[in-house]
Amino acid sequence: EIVLTQSPGTLSLSPGERATLSCRASQSVRSDYFAWFQQKAGQAPRLLIYGASSRARGIPDRFSGSGSGTDFTLTINRLEPDDFAVYYCHQYGSSPPWTFGQGTKVEIK
Amino acid sequence: EVQLVESGGGLVRPGRSLRLSCTGSGFTFSAYAVSWFRQAPGKGLEWVGFIRSNPFGGTTEYATSLKGRFIISRDDSKSIAYLQMNGLKTEDTGLYYCTRVQAVAGSDYWGQGTLVTVSS
């Protein structure tokens, strides 16, 4: 099973700042099957990034994903109040099981 | 508009069974795989399993820890996927989500979830 480890656990930032979230895999992941989700309290997760770097429909270009192999990054430029949430990385490769990171909470400083 | 609606959650005693439903609309349900995820209260996301579309065999995959207790099936004539949960344990308590699975984008649409509480 591929273990995904996200860092930091919590990120305290102010609106307008840049957030950089990291996800490290215990073994190499096909970039085609790597995603990032945003989850706000009381809501279902929302797909932000798939294929490591492709934005899902309706996701603003402030959100960008990068990385390959075992190291992946989600960058959120110019944080807006609506961006403060928990973010999960996820691998959904052709060989299950699919796994998630434990989440990074982006909170208002 | 693509929509997924989960139903069937509730309070159930340990050891009992429960069947959840996931009804899709706004897309060709039969053309997509469907996955189930869950989230224990205050915890992160956990993959439960998925069922491929029938053109791809309609076969299933499960999280290792759940194999044998949980069964996913689908009825494309009704645009519904099911999650049959047997031998429920208190640690199965949580919010259960279903998703549409795109070949490239993965779980691109999620339902709002249905709450399962396993307690005596």
Side-chain angles (χ1 to χ4, degrees), chain B:
Chain B
E1 179 193 5
V2 173
Q3 281 195 319
L4 294 153
V5 178
E6 302 91 342
S7 59
L11 174 64
V12 61
R13 301 281 188 244
R16 303 300 292 268
S17 297
L18 198 62
R19 189 178 78 163
L20 306 183
S21 299
C22 168
T23 304
S25 61
F27 65 102
T28 304
F29 187 84
S30 61
Y32 291 85
V34 173
S35 188
W36 287 91
F37 298 87
R38 68 183 184 180
Q39 189 167 34
K43 301 297 183 182
L45 297 166
E46 180 185 13
W47 174 66
V48 171
F50 71 79
I51 184 165
R52 297 177 177 86
S53 62
N54 281 323
F56 286 89
T59 52
T60 53
E61 304 285 350
Y62 299 97
T64 305
S65 62
L66 301 176
K67 213 174 292 186
R69 283 200 304 128
F70 286 19
I71 300 168
I72 299 172
S73 60
R74 63 189 299 156
D75 183 343
D76 289 340
S77 68
K78 297 179 180 177
S79 297
I80 299 178
Y82 300 100
L83 175 63
Q84 176 70 40
M85 304 185 292
N86 301 318
L88 282 162
K89 306 175 182 180
T90 55
E91 52 263 41
D92 294 320
T93 293
L95 197 53
Y96 283 72
Y97 297 100
C98 67
T99 73
R100 183 181 86 162
V101 181
Q102 264 254 17
V104 174
S107 294
D108 61 347
Y109 284 91
W110 293 59
Q112 282 305 300
T114 186
L115 182 62
V116 173
T117 304
V118 184
S119 174
S120 54

Side-chain angles (χ1 to χ4, degrees), chain A residues 6 10 13 17-18 20 24 28 31 33 35 39 43 51-53 69 71 78 80 83 90-91 100-101 106-107:
Chain A
Q6 292 186 239
T10 302
L13 295 167
E17 292 191 298
R18 173 186 295 170
T20 303
R24 176 160 289 176
S28 186
S31 298
Y33 303 118
Q39 188 177 34
Q43 295 186 20
S53 60
D71 289 289
R78 305 179 304 281
E80 295 189 359
D83 299 336
H90 172 55
Q91 64 84 22
F100 289 90
V106 178
E107 65 176 23

